[in-house]
């Protein structure tokens, strides 16, 4: 049994942001933090006060997280980025709104006294008894993960303890966010203040010249302390008393969509009956031997949940090897409801959403290989391209030659030539891609092609079968990736305004080719007529490509089939990284990183100096004990992480990685790279509970200044926060759990729909066929069994918590 919390985040847009640049605009981006840990950085949207991001993320969290915060900053190339404001949302708010939070939220000013993080280890006790005056003793032991307030990437923390008008201060620990003090402070206990007295423990960053910076505080009620006599542990630092912001409502706002889902995933055996029943229904539905479960799911799923349900079903049937059959059932259902071929697969039906999910899961590597070169070329050239005369800006185009300004006609002619060049390169790439398109995608498109041909036969509907394929491949896969390469991991950042316009015009051309109707496009946008010859040629080429694509399943070439086979969740991740390996060696003074070719497989991390080098080193993934961040001050970079593993000899080895690279054709930031390694080691058992976020150099740890190299660590390891990506391994138990939850929520609607269809069929319905009714009853019985299993788990958890509470009371 596994517990997990999943947070769906969509950062939609911003509006009315303040001006931060001398140009009268800003360059905003967002950083998302979970409990002060940065996990997401959006792209920068240049020169706008109303940015649109449209970025979506799925984050897996530990159940004990407290808040999710969105910081909006203005990027500056020459100075430190300006902070605009933030939005903070508590876990409690997300919990009480299971349907999710969706709307505009005002940005608030960031008060340094409220931006605190970290924990402090204290032991507080009440000493003395009888005639001896009682004393309050506060022992300040250590702190961890304090905020960095100085330019050197650390702080100079000290503790200030206050009680009953008296104040003591600890020593200052220089350049550390993980200080150890081990100091004790005693106060005369004032019995008259026992009900209202407070002990305040504050942490500050010492500064020689400027004002000391507040790092957080903890308050203790003396009355409760006298009852307990002693209290010891790690205490989370809290902010100072909130101040009313004079900027409230003037910093702009963010439109956010968030939804928190807590899951308890049962052992696999509980989901086996549901998975088998759905698999049997897909395999036998074409013969009419089972109730139309997929049809009932299609009819009862709301538009809001359709994308998530489609994604879960696709992953479940991928794991069962039945995704082709599942999609075929959806094709049949969609075709039965369609009377006008021009509307085929154009709505957001379960069939359309399922095909979108399937292409993203099964075809993302194919997409990167297909579009990578042309997208990179457009980003690197940064040419000014415009075909619409009403949008041509002569100052953007520059001069055609010495002292000669380009005319509108020159710009349109040059733009037409560039777009035709881009389109020609893209179409050539598409034609060549038939040889490496994943075999399963070819098979699905082949089945779609045949189903459409049966429903809309030649010669009257000779184009419909091609348009059915292009409606998914071009309109829902290739074109969106061209318009927003950042969202498909083709680029690390969004395009600037000029490049975005070029990508949009190229995507329009691809959509026109996909629709296979040049006249309709030119009638709506006459200025596209200059591309008509290239588009007409592209339609012919695309038809040839589809003919090849739907015939690939017949290939007998085993090597080709192996190359084209789908490897969902098992593919290797590989690419060049800068590494430094250390066992008992001290850190060298110069840069220790060297370039290695790294391969992350299912059970091994290996690295060598070149891709085809015979000599390589490797680490078994089960031997990895921790994957954690490294303090920025250690290497002068915020993108370094460490992998700590144990060897057979018992020695501990640390591998440092610089993560600001492209790995396996994905632009990896530090957080994404860390997430990849955490997921690879998620099932390890011999993990560390604490570690050093610094490095061992000059006979001491840079983080906490301890001299023992074998010191256990000054910060706790974090195993919780990971980002969900398209290359994640399939998790059949989780997908079955999510499908169970959905079916449970629409159970009554499915029953009503089923009997309504029986009534509509009237005499045509075979009421003596008990198999269909029994099949539906079997589904509801399985759902009830899963409900009972979850209820038993909840009862066991409540009983366990009750026993823990009684033990604490004792």
């Amino acid at each position: 049994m596994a517990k997990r919390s999943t947070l769906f985040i969509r950062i939609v847009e911003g509006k009315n942001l303040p001006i931060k640049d001398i140009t009268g605009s800003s360059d905003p981006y967002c950083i998302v933090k979970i409990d002060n840990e940065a996990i997401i950085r959006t792209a920068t949207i240049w020169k706008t006060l109303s940015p649109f991001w449209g970025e979506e993320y799925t984050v897996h969290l530990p159940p004990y997280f407290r808040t999710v915060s969105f910081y909006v900053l203005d990027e500056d190339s020459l100075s430190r980025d300006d902070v605009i404001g933030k939005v903070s949302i508590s876990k409690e708010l997300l919990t009480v709104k299971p349907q999710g939070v969706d709307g505009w939220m005002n940005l608030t000013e960031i008060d340094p006294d409220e931006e605190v993080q970290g924990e402090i280890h204290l032991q507080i006790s009440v000493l003395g008894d009888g005639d001896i005056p009682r004393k309050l003793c506060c022992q300040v032991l250590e702190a961890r993960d304090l905020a960095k307030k100085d330019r050197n990437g650390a702080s100079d923390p000290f503790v200030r303890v206050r009680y009953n008008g008296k104040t003591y201060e600890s020593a200052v620990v220089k350049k550390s966010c993980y200080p150890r003090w081990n100091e004790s402070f005693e106060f005369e206990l004032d019995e008259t203040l026992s009900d209202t007295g407070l002990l305040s423990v504050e942490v500050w960053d010492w500064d020689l010249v400027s004002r000391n910076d507040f790092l957080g505080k903890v308050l203790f009620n003396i009355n409760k302390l006298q009852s307990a006599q002693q209290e010891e542990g790690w205490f989370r630092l809290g902010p100072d008393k909130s101040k009313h912001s004079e900027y409230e409502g003037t910093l702009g706002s963010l439109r956010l969509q968030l939804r928190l889902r807590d899951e308890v995933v049962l052992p696999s055996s509980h989901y086996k009956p549901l998975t088998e029943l759905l698999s049997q229904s897909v395999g036998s539905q074409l013969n009419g031997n089972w109730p139309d479960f997929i049809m009932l799911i299609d009819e009862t799923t709301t538009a809001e949940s359709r994308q998530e349900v489609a994604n879960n079903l696709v992953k479940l049937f991928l794991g069962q090897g039945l995704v082709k059959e599942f999609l075929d059932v959806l094709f049949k259902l969609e075709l039965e409801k369609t009377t006008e071929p021009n509307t085929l697969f154009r709505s957001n039906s379960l069939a359309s959403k399922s095909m979108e999910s399937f292409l993203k899961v099964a075809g993302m590597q194919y997409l990167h290989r297909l579009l990578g070169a042309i997208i990179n070329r457009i980003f690197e050239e940064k040419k000014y391209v415009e075909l619409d005369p009403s949008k041509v800006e002569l100052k953007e185009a520059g001069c055609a030659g010495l002292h000669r300004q380009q005319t509108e006609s020159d710009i349109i002619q040059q733009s037409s030539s560039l777009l035709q060049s881009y389109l020609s390169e893209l179409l050539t790439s598409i034609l060549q891609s038939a040889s490496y398109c994943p075999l399963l995608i070819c098979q699905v498109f082949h089945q779609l092609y045949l189903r459409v041909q049966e429903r809309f036969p030649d010669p009257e509907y000779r184009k419909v079968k091609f348009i059915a394929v292009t409606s998914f491949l071009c309109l829902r896969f290739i074109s969106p990736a061209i318009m927003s390469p950042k969202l498909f991991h083709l680029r690390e950042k969004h395009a600037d305004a000029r490049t975005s316009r070029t990508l949009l015009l190229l995507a329009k051309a691809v959509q026109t080719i996909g629709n296979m109707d040049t006249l309709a496009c030119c009638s709506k946008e006459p200025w596209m007529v200059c591309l008509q010859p290239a588009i007409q040629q592209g339609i012919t080429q695309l038809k040839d490509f589809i003919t090849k694509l739907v015939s690939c399943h017949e290939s007998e070439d085993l090597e080709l089939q192996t190359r084209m086979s789908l490897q969902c969740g098992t593919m290797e991740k590989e690419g060049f990284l800068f590494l430094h390996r250390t066992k008992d060696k001290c850190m060298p003074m110069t840069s220790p990183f060297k370039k290695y070719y790294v391969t992350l497989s299912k059970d091994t991390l290996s690295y060598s100096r070149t891709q085809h080098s015979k000599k390589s080193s490797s680490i078994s993934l089960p031997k990895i004990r921790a994957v954690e961040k490294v303090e920025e001050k250690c290497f002068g970079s915020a993108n370094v992480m460490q992998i700590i593993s144990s060897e057979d000899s018992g020695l501990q080895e640390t591998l440092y990685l610089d993560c600001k690279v492209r790995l396996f054709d994905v632009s990896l930031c530090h957080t994404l790279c860390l997430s990849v390694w955490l997921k690879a080691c998620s099932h390890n058992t011999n993990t560390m509970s604490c570690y050093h976020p610094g490095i061992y150099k000059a006979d001491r740890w840079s983080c906490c200044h301890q001299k023992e190299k074998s010191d256990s660590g000054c910060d706790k390891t974090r195993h919780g926060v990971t980002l969900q990506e398209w290359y994640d391994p399939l998790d059949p138990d989780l997908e079955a759990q999510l499908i169970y939850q959905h079916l449970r929520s629409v159970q009554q609607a499915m029953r009503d729909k089923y009997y309504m269809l029986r009534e509509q069929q009237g005499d045509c319905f075979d009421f003596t066929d008990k198999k269909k009714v029994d099949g539906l009853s079997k589904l509801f019985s399985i759902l009830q069994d899963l409900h009972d299993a979850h209820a038993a788990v909840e009862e066991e958890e409540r009983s366990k918590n009750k026993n823990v509470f009684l033990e604490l009371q004792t």
Side-chain angles (χ1 to χ4, degrees):
M1 184 186 71
K3 288 185 178 181
R4 57 185 286 174
S5 295
T6 301
L7 181 64
F8 300 94
I9 299 174
R10 186 163 191 256
I11 306 168
V12 187
E13 57 185 321
K15 66 179 180 181
N16 302 327
L17 300 184
I19 296 171
K20 290 293 184 178
D21 298 336
I22 58 174
T23 59
S25 187
S26 293
D27 305 314
Y29 66 93
C30 289
I31 287 179
V32 184
K33 292 185 177 182
I34 302 292
D35 291 343
N36 297 309
E37 181 180 355
I39 59 166
I40 294 168
R41 185 204 191 278
T42 69
T44 300
I45 310 298
W46 305 99
K47 299 180 182 178
T48 180
L49 301 179
S50 299
F52 179 82
W53 289 284
E55 298 192 22
E56 298 181 3
Y57 301 91
T58 300
V59 185
H60 301 304
L61 303 162
Y64 49 79
F65 86 96
R66 292 177 175 84
T67 58
V68 53
S69 302
F70 299 82
Y71 293 77
V72 181
L73 296 93
D74 166 62
E75 182 168 334
D76 289 321
S77 56
L78 299 179
S79 59
R80 180 176 293 185
D81 294 350
D82 299 315
V83 179
I84 295 175
K86 76 167 184 176
V87 172
S88 288
I89 301 171
S90 67
K91 182 185 178 182
E92 287 72 21
L93 176 62
L94 295 171
T95 302
V96 298
K97 292 189 175 182
Q99 75 279 7
V101 176
D102 183 357
W104 289 96
M105 303 177 192
N106 289 333
L107 292 166
T108 59
E109 183 189 13
I110 297 177
D111 185 347
D113 287 349
E114 294 182 22
E115 296 298 303
V116 300
Q117 66 182 64
E119 299 172 303
I120 186 167
H121 189 189
L122 302 170
Q123 185 184 75
I124 303 169
S125 54
V126 177
L127 306 177
D129 197 7
D131 297 332
I132 303 175
R134 294 201 295 171
K135 292 185 177 182
L136 178 64
C137 178
C138 177
Q139 188 173 1
V140 181
L141 302 173
E142 56 187 320
R144 61 190 180 196
D145 195 28
L146 299 180
K148 305 172 183 64
K149 294 293 185 179
D150 298 337
R151 292 195 173 188
N152 58 19
S155 290
D156 304 319
F158 69 93
V159 176
R160 184 176 290 160
V161 186
R162 304 174 187 269
Y163 172 69
N164 195 20
K166 284 191 175 183
T167 302
Y168 292 108
E169 290 185 356
S170 71
V172 176
V173 179
K174 293 291 187 71
K175 299 179 182 180
S176 177
C177 293
Y178 301 86
R180 294 186 180 179
W181 291 284
N182 290 322
E183 295 187 38
S184 294
F185 306 99
E186 289 188 357
F187 300 89
E188 294 287 342
L189 191 62
D190 191 338
E191 303 289 348
T192 62
L193 297 175
S194 59
D195 292 333
T196 59
L198 291 175
L199 172 70
S200 172
V201 181
E202 302 171 356
V203 185
W204 293 79
D205 167 53
W206 178 84
D207 287 317
L208 178 63
V209 179
S210 60
R211 183 175 66 92
N212 294 338
D213 298 310
F214 179 73
L215 296 178
K217 71 177 181 180
V218 185
L219 295 176
F220 295 92
N221 185 292
I222 299 302
N223 189 35
K224 292 181 179 179
L225 280 174
Q226 289 188 87
S227 301
Q229 292 297 310
Q230 181 172 305
E231 192 165 348
E232 180 183 359
W234 285 95
F235 299 93
R236 188 176 183 82
L237 293 170
D240 201 357
K241 187 177 181 181
S242 300
K243 307 181 184 73
H244 178 72
S245 173
E246 60 182 291
Y247 297 100
E248 189 172 353
T250 66
L251 297 175
S253 54
L254 278 182
R255 187 184 170 202
L256 302 170
Q257 296 173 352
L258 299 99
R259 184 163 58 87
L260 179 65
R261 185 182 67 206
D262 292 320
E263 299 293 346
V264 176
V265 181
L266 301 170
S268 301
S269 57
H270 288 81
Y271 300 108
K272 189 176 179 181
L274 176 61
T275 303
E276 288 180 348
L277 185 67
L278 291 174
S279 299
Q280 290 169 357
S281 70
V282 166
S284 306
Q285 190 166 324
L286 300 178
N287 302 322
N289 294 328
W290 286 84
D292 298 332
F293 290 145
I294 303 302
M295 182 271 292
L296 291 174
I297 293 173
D298 185 19
E299 293 285 343
T300 56
T301 301
T302 62
E304 292 77 16
S305 60
R306 196 169 288 142
Q307 181 65 72
E308 183 183 351
V309 172
N311 193 46
N312 296 334
L313 286 169
V314 164
K315 289 186 176 181
L316 178 78
F317 287 113
L318 268 171
Q320 299 300 312
L322 290 169
V323 72
K324 183 177 68 171
E325 291 77 7
F326 164 66
L327 292 171
D328 190 30
V329 171
L330 291 179
F331 296 155
K332 280 198 66 181
L333 291 172
E334 187 82 1
L335 286 164
E336 287 171 1
K337 294 185 289 186
T338 305
T339 56
E340 177 56 50
N342 292 333
T343 63
L344 184 61
F345 298 118
R346 296 305 171 99
S347 66
N348 290 321
S349 62
L350 186 63
S352 298
K353 291 296 185 182
S354 296
M355 271 298 287
E356 277 187 41
S357 295
F358 169 69
L359 288 173
K360 286 181 179 179
V361 175
M364 197 64 80
Q365 281 183 295
Y366 165 74
L367 183 76
H368 281 216
R369 185 171 175 182
L370 175 69
L371 295 181
I374 185 64
I375 295 294
N376 289 336
R377 177 189 168 189
I378 293 171
F379 269 79
E380 290 162 7
E381 290 183 354
K382 292 186 178 180
K383 299 285 188 181
Y384 179 68
V385 177
E386 185 54 74
L387 297 179
D388 187 352
S390 65
K391 294 184 178 180
V392 171
E393 297 183 14
L394 298 179
K395 62 180 182 180
E396 285 287 334
C399 298
L402 187 63
H403 306 303
R404 189 175 81 83
Q405 186 77 21
Q406 281 188 308
T407 64
E408 181 181 290
S409 177
D410 292 335
I411 294 171
I412 292 176
Q413 184 178 357
Q414 179 182 322
S415 299
S416 175
S417 298
L418 272 170
L419 275 174
Q420 290 184 55
S421 172
Y422 295 147
L423 190 58
S424 175
E425 181 180 336
L426 176 59
L427 287 169
T428 301
S429 180
I430 290 175
L431 282 171
Q432 294 172 349
S433 72
S435 64
Y436 57 80
C437 183
L439 180 59
L440 189 53
I441 291 180
C442 297
Q443 292 172 337
V444 168
F445 277 131
H446 170 73
Q447 198 65 35
L448 172 64
Y449 186 89
L450 293 180
R451 290 292 183 196
V452 175
Q453 191 174 38
E454 291 172 6
R455 178 68 177 83
F456 297 103
D458 293 341
E460 183 181 359
Y461 302 107
R462 62 182 181 276
K463 289 198 304 184
V464 177
K465 56 183 180 289
F466 293 103
I467 295 175
V469 175
T470 59
S471 66
F472 292 118
L473 189 63
C474 294
L475 276 61
R476 293 177 180 265
F477 196 43
I478 295 177
S479 286
I482 292 173
M483 285 191 289
S484 303
K486 164 72 169 61
L487 302 184
F488 285 78
H489 305 290
L490 285 159
R491 297 289 298 188
E492 185 179 347
K493 294 185 177 182
H494 276 300
D496 56 25
R498 174 183 288 195
T499 306
S500 291
R501 182 61 180 170
T502 305
L503 294 171
L504 177 61
L505 292 172
L506 180 60
K508 278 180 177 288
V510 173
Q511 288 174 346
T512 305
I513 294 172
N515 287 324
M516 297 192 175
D517 188 356
T518 57
L519 296 177
C521 173
C522 294
S523 63
K524 293 178 182 177
E525 297 169 325
W527 41 267
M528 290 281 287
V529 72
C530 60
L531 295 179
Q532 190 166 356
I535 289 173
Q536 192 61 53
Q537 183 182 359
I539 291 173
T540 304
Q541 291 176 309
L542 196 60
K543 284 184 178 179
D544 293 339
F545 165 72
I546 292 171
T547 303
K548 289 182 181 179
L549 189 70
V550 299
S551 303
C552 283
H553 73 287
E554 299 172 355
S555 173
E556 297 295 332
D557 186 346
L558 293 178
E559 182 181 349
L560 176 64
Q561 291 189 21
T562 301
R563 188 169 69 250
M564 291 174 13
S565 65
L566 179 67
Q567 300 176 33
C568 279
T570 59
M571 71 173 189
E572 291 186 342
K573 290 96 175 167
E574 55 187 18
F576 282 102
L577 280 172
F578 286 92
L579 309 181
H580 172 67
R581 177 182 176 183
T582 175
K583 291 185 180 179
D584 292 324
K585 298 180 289 185
C586 290
M587 194 64 60
M589 297 299 292
T590 58
S591 176
F593 290 99
K594 295 180 181 179
K595 192 174 183 180
Y596 287 87
Y597 193 83
V598 179
T599 302
L600 177 62
S601 65
K602 187 178 180 180
D603 50 13
T604 305
L605 162 66
S606 59
Y607 51 97
S608 55
R609 295 309 299 269
T610 63
Q611 182 176 358
H612 303 291
S613 175
K614 294 182 180 179
K615 184 179 180 181
S616 66
S617 301
S618 64
I619 300 174
S620 174
L621 293 189
K623 293 184 178 180
I624 293 179
R625 303 189 62 200
V627 181
E628 296 293 341
K629 297 179 181 180
V630 177
E631 285 188 296
E632 182 177 353
K633 68 177 184 178
C634 298
F635 298 102
S637 170
N639 302 305
V640 178
M641 53 174 278
Q642 57 181 314
I643 297 177
I644 305 171
S645 61
S646 57
E647 297 183 326
D648 294 333
S649 60
L651 294 175
Q652 191 166 283
E653 177 183 350
T654 303
L655 188 68
Y656 295 96
L657 298 83
D658 189 342
C659 301
K660 194 66 174 178
V661 292
R662 286 182 66 86
L663 184 62
F664 50 96
D665 295 329
V666 180
S667 294
L668 287 183
C669 63
H670 183 217
T671 303
L672 180 55
C673 192
L674 184 63
S675 179
V676 169
W677 300 106
L678 281 172
K679 284 182 284 191
C681 308
S682 60
H683 298 294
N684 289 6
T685 55
N686 187 28
T687 55
M688 300 169 63
S689 59
C690 54
Y691 79 108
H692 286 286
I695 57 174
Y696 193 75
K697 189 175 182 179
D699 295 328
R700 66 174 187 171
W701 288 101
S702 62
C703 44
C704 58
H705 302 168
Q706 296 303 302
K707 295 184 178 181
E708 288 293 329
K709 193 171 189 298
S710 58
D711 187 81
S712 60
C714 55
D715 197 9
K716 60 182 179 181
T717 53
R718 297 167 178 83
H719 308 289
V721 181
T722 58
L723 298 176
Q724 181 172 302
E725 297 296 336
W726 55 268
Y727 44 75
D728 285 349
L730 296 175
D731 189 341
D733 292 342
L734 175 62
E735 305 307 333
Q737 165 65 21
L738 298 177
I739 292 169
Y740 150 72
Q741 279 202 328
H742 174 71
L743 294 178
R744 181 80 180 170
S745 68
V746 298
Q747 182 172 340
Q748 187 58 47
M750 289 178 68
R751 192 193 305 272
D752 295 342
K753 188 70 178 179
Y754 179 68
Y755 286 109
M756 184 188 76
L757 291 173
R758 284 182 54 174
E759 291 176 5
Q760 289 175 353
Q761 292 180 20
D763 295 337
C764 298
F765 189 88
D766 184 5
F767 287 92
T768 62
D769 186 359
K770 299 291 185 182
K771 203 163 195 177
K772 290 192 173 185
V773 180
D774 291 345
L776 196 65
S777 299
K778 185 176 182 181
L779 173 64
F780 293 158
S781 175
I782 291 171
L783 297 181
Q784 185 61 46
D785 290 343
L786 284 168
H787 175 74
D788 294 342
H790 279 282
V793 169
E794 291 176 6
E795 181 60 34
E796 183 182 349
E797 189 71 19
R798 280 194 294 268
S799 177
K800 189 183 298 183
N801 291 338
K802 183 178 179 180
N803 291 336
V804 170
F805 177 73
L806 291 174
E807 288 178 8
L808 289 174
Q809 279 191 321
T810 304

